[in-house]
Amino acid sequence: MKVLVTGGAGYIGSTICSALEDSGHIPIVLDSLVTGKAEFVKNRSFYQADIADKEALKKIFQEHPEIKHAIHCAALIIVPESVEKPYEYYRENVSKSNELFRNLIDLGCHQIVFSSSASIYDIAPNFMVTEESSLKPGSPYAKTKLMMEMILEDYCHAYSNIKAISLRYFNPIGADPKMRSGSHAKNASHVVAKMVETAQGKIPEFCITGVNWPTRDGSGIRDYIHVWDLALAHVKAVENFGSIFSNKKEGYLVINLGTGNGVTVKELLKAFENVYGKKLPQKETEPRLGDVAGAYANADKALKYLKWKANFSIEEAIRDALKWSEFQAALFK
C-alpha cells in the first residue's frame, strides 16, 4: 500500500516510514522541514509543503492516486515551549490539522491514523490509564492533541465515509535499530536524549525535573516505549484498518500505545547508567512548565484491535539511543 505520512521527516514519522517500507509498503512523505530532517527522506517520495497546503495535497494525490490511508504525525511537540507560545501551537497543531482532515476527505482519503498523546490524561489513582480514563490535558501542547482528537471524532460522526484511529503515544525513546533515524532536536526535550547529552558532555548534568510527585520515589512516572515498537503499531493500524471497523458501528477509535509498565525517571536513569556503564552527573530541579506526575498505559486495546504489543525493553531502547548518538554526529556534520 501507499500511505501518506505527514511529518515523515521527523523523529517518529521517519521511523514509521522505515517500518512501513520494511513491511512492504510505500510511504509518501509530506513535511515542511521546519523541524524535520531532509536526510530522513532520502530515496523516498517526498513533498516539502505545509500540511494545510491544499494544492500540495492535490499534487500528491494526482501523482499517487492509490493512497487510501494517511498517518498524521506532523505537529509541534515541546511542552514548555507550548506554554510560552500557545498561539503557534494552536495554529500549527489544531488549525492546520483541521484543514488537512477536510482536504483529505475532499481528495478521497478517508482512513486516518492520528498521532495523539497520553499527555491528555488526568492523573489516575494508580497512574495506569485506559482509553476510558478521565482526561485533563495540562499544557497547550496536550490541549492541541485533545482538540485534534475531538475534531476527528466529530468528522467521523458527521461524514459517514471517514474513519479514524487516534493512537495515544506514551513516551517514545530509542532509535530505529537499523540506524536510519532517531532523535535529532538541537534542544532535545526527550528524557533519554537529555541523558545521552549528559553522557557526551554536551550538558553538565542530567536534571530530574520534579521529585515531589506522588510516586514511589517522588520522580515522574512514565511508560517508555521503544520508537520502533511505536512505529510497528502504525503499520498494524494501517494493515488492520478494514477489519478493525468491519464490525463496529462507530467510525472512530482511540488506542493507547505503551508497554503497560510504569517506570519512574529515577528508575530510567538507573537503567541508563547500567547500560552506559557510568554514573551520570545529576541534580534534582523543579518541574518544567506543563509537567505532570505522569501515567502508564493499559495496552489491552492495542492487542485486541491492532494485534500488537511492545516487545523491546528499556535497555534495548537506551542502547539504540546511545548508538544513534554516534551515527548522528556523522549524519548531520
Side-chain angles (χ1 to χ4, degrees):
M1 292 183 285
K2 286 187 176 181
V3 181
L4 177 66
V5 182
T6 71
Y11 168 40
I12 295 173
S14 62
T15 309
I16 291 170
C17 289
S18 295
L20 286 165
E21 289 173 340
D22 288 0
S23 299
H25 307 299
I26 302 171
I28 310 299
V29 179
L30 172 63
D31 198 298
S32 65
L33 295 186
V34 170
T35 58
K37 286 288 183 181
E39 291 86 348
F40 290 167
V41 292
K42 286 182 178 177
N43 303 317
R44 286 179 179 149
S45 294
F46 169 57
Y47 297 80
Q48 183 175 352
D50 192 277
I51 60 170
D53 186 336
K54 187 165 187 175
E55 292 306 311
L57 272 177
K58 282 182 180 178
K59 181 179 180 182
I60 290 172
F61 281 88
Q62 286 169 356
E63 296 180 0
H64 305 278
E66 311 95 319
I67 296 174
K68 301 300 179 188
H69 301 81
I71 298 175
H72 179 32
C73 298
L76 299 178
I77 63 169
I78 301 173
V79 170
E81 182 183 67
S82 77
V83 177
E84 298 167 353
K85 300 179 178 180
Y87 167 74
E88 287 81 356
Y89 272 70
Y90 288 118
R91 179 190 64 197
E92 297 298 319
N93 291 4
V94 180
S95 298
K96 291 185 178 181
S97 291
N98 187 35
E99 294 304 311
L100 171 69
F101 296 149
R102 179 70 250 185
N103 291 335
L104 287 175
I105 293 171
D106 291 343
L107 292 166
C109 183
H110 301 146
Q111 301 182 65
I112 299 172
V113 177
F114 170 56
S115 300
S116 190
S117 170
S119 64
I120 69 175
Y121 285 115
D122 196 359
I123 297 174
N126 62 353
F127 299 107
M128 190 275 288
V129 293
T130 71
E131 289 81 356
E132 287 72 41
S133 294
S134 297
L135 305 179
K136 188 180 180 182
S139 67
Y141 161 73
K143 290 173 184 176
T144 68
K145 289 296 186 179
L146 179 55
M147 288 179 183
M148 291 152 77
E149 281 198 21
M150 294 167 68
I151 290 168
L152 260 186
E153 185 174 14
D154 286 345
Y155 274 31
C156 290
H157 288 155
Y159 311 119
S160 59
N161 55 352
I162 183 174
K163 292 178 171 54
I165 301 173
S166 287
L167 299 176
R168 289 179 182 164
Y169 297 2
F170 279 69
N171 295 78
I173 59 174
D176 175 3
K178 295 183 181 178
M179 295 294 113
R180 289 167 289 191
S181 59
S183 179
H184 60 82
K186 289 182 179 178
N187 298 309
S189 60
H190 294 291
V191 61
V192 171
K194 288 290 188 184
M195 292 178 185
V196 170
E197 288 185 343
T198 306
Q200 294 173 332
K202 293 181 178 178
I203 56 178
E205 55 202 353
F206 174 74
C207 295
I208 303 173
T209 53
V211 292
N212 293 310
W213 300 112
T215 62
R216 53 183 169 264
D217 61 19
S219 63
I221 192 166
R222 303 289 187 269
D223 189 332
Y224 297 102
I225 177 174
H226 196 300
V227 69
W228 188 249
D229 271 331
L230 191 79
L232 291 174
H234 291 73
V235 177
K236 290 289 188 182
V238 168
E239 291 178 340
N240 294 305
F241 207 100
S243 61
I244 287 169
F245 289 103
S246 61
N247 296 315
K248 286 180 64 63
K249 290 183 180 179
E250 302 85 5
Y252 179 73
L253 184 65
V254 172
I255 298 177
N256 285 340
L257 293 185
T259 67
N261 297 310
V263 177
T264 69
V265 174
K266 288 183 178 179
E267 290 166 349
L268 180 69
L269 178 58
K270 184 174 178 59
F272 186 95
E273 291 173 337
N274 288 340
V275 172
Y276 181 56
K278 297 179 184 178
K279 189 172 180 62
L280 293 185
Q282 56 199 260
K283 71 175 180 180
E284 299 177 353
T285 68
E286 292 298 311
R288 302 171 305 168
L289 290 171
D291 272 350
V292 294
Y296 66 95
N298 176 304
D300 293 348
K301 213 168 177 181
L303 183 60
K304 176 182 177 181
Y305 287 106
L306 303 183
K307 309 297 188 288
W308 170 93
K309 65 177 181 178
N311 289 308
F312 285 88
S313 68
I314 285 178
E315 288 77 13
E316 287 172 307
I318 291 169
R319 276 193 287 271
D320 285 336
L322 286 165
K323 187 177 179 182
W324 169 253
S325 69
E326 300 172 5
F327 274 78
Q328 189 180 14
L331 186 64
F332 301 137
K333 64 182 179 181

